[in-house]
Amino acid sequence: MNKVMTRTRRTPGGRPPVRHDTRRPGAPPRTAPGRAVSRTPGTPDAPGATGGGGPQPSAPPRPPVRPRPTDLFAERLVEVLSGRRPVHCMLRHTAGRAYDELARLAERGPLRTRGERPVVRDIGYYVPRSGAVEAFARIGAGDRLRAMAFRLEQGPDLRWRCTAVELGGPRTPHVPED
C-alpha cells in the first residue's frame, strides 16, 4: 500500500508548532541556555567568533526544505474554507469542477469559528499513479476535528492543481457537464 502519513509530530494542546525565524527583525538571537551573546562581531561572545584561535569549521549549509504540494494545498484550502482568503485565490490552482466544489463549500463557511483559527493537524496521502495524489487532512479548530480530502494532479506544465475537494459531510451529487 502506498499510503503515507506526514506531520506525525503531535503538538500539546492542539496548537501548531511555533516558528522560530531569526531573520525577522527584533527576533532575539538563538543562544545556548546561560550564555550571553554580544552583537559586536569579533568579540569572544559573538556567535561564530572564537576565543583566540582561527575560524572554527562550520557545518555545511543545508538546502532549504521545500514543503510538499499536499501541505501547501491543505493550508490554502483551510484558509479559503475558514473565510480568511477569498475563493478566487484558488482559481489558478484548481482544474475541472474543483473550483465549483470549493466555491459551494466556501459559501457555507464550514470551517469558520469564533475562537481559535482552524489548523491542519495531520496530512496523509496516497499515490494512485504517477502525477496524481489523493490526500486527506485532519483539521482542528478548538476541540472540534474535521476531515478534508482532496486530489492533486500534475499538469503538462508540471504544476500541481487541485481536481477535487471534499469536507466531512454529505457529498454533492455529480451533475454531468453539458
Side-chain angles (χ1 to χ4, degrees):
M1 179 175 263
N2 300 354
K3 189 179 272 190
V4 179
M5 288 293 296
T6 61
R7 295 190 185 198
T8 56
R9 190 175 65 139
R10 300 272 182 193
T11 56
R15 295 189 61 194
V18 178
R19 195 168 125 192
H20 299 285
D21 191 356
T22 57
R23 298 171 295 174
R24 297 182 76 185
R30 292 187 187 177
T31 62
R35 182 171 176 219
V37 173
S38 169
R39 292 185 185 252
T40 309
T43 61
D45 289 340
T50 57
Q56 293 179 348
S58 62
R62 292 184 180 179
V65 178
R66 292 182 51 154
R68 292 182 177 96
T70 54
D71 294 353
L72 293 173
F73 274 90
E75 294 290 339
R76 288 177 183 160
L77 290 170
V78 167
E79 288 178 354
V80 168
L81 295 173
S82 65
R84 286 185 283 169
R85 297 184 93 182
V87 179
H88 68 266
C89 73
M90 291 295 292
L91 191 55
R92 66 188 195 115
H93 301 290
T94 56
R97 295 182 11 173
Y99 183 78
D100 296 331
E101 292 172 11
L102 186 58
R104 199 172 6 265
L105 283 171
E107 270 181 20
R108 296 189 331 221
L111 296 180
R112 289 192 178 133
T113 59
R114 289 189 185 225
E116 298 183 33
R117 294 167 57 169
V119 293
V120 178
R121 296 244 181 115
D122 298 334
I123 297 176
Y125 61 91
Y126 172 74
V127 182
R129 63 173 172 82
S130 179
V133 175
E134 293 178 352
F136 62 90
R138 292 181 186 97
I139 313 298
D143 58 347
R144 294 190 67 192
L145 193 63
R146 302 285 303 263
M148 179 175 64
F150 55 98
R151 181 179 173 95
L152 301 177
E153 292 188 13
Q154 197 171 27
D157 59 355
L158 300 181
R159 289 183 49 210
W160 290 96
R161 288 182 180 83
C162 184
T163 57
V165 179
E166 290 184 13
L167 197 64
R171 290 184 177 184
T172 56
H174 177 70
V175 178
E177 296 179 21
D178 293 330

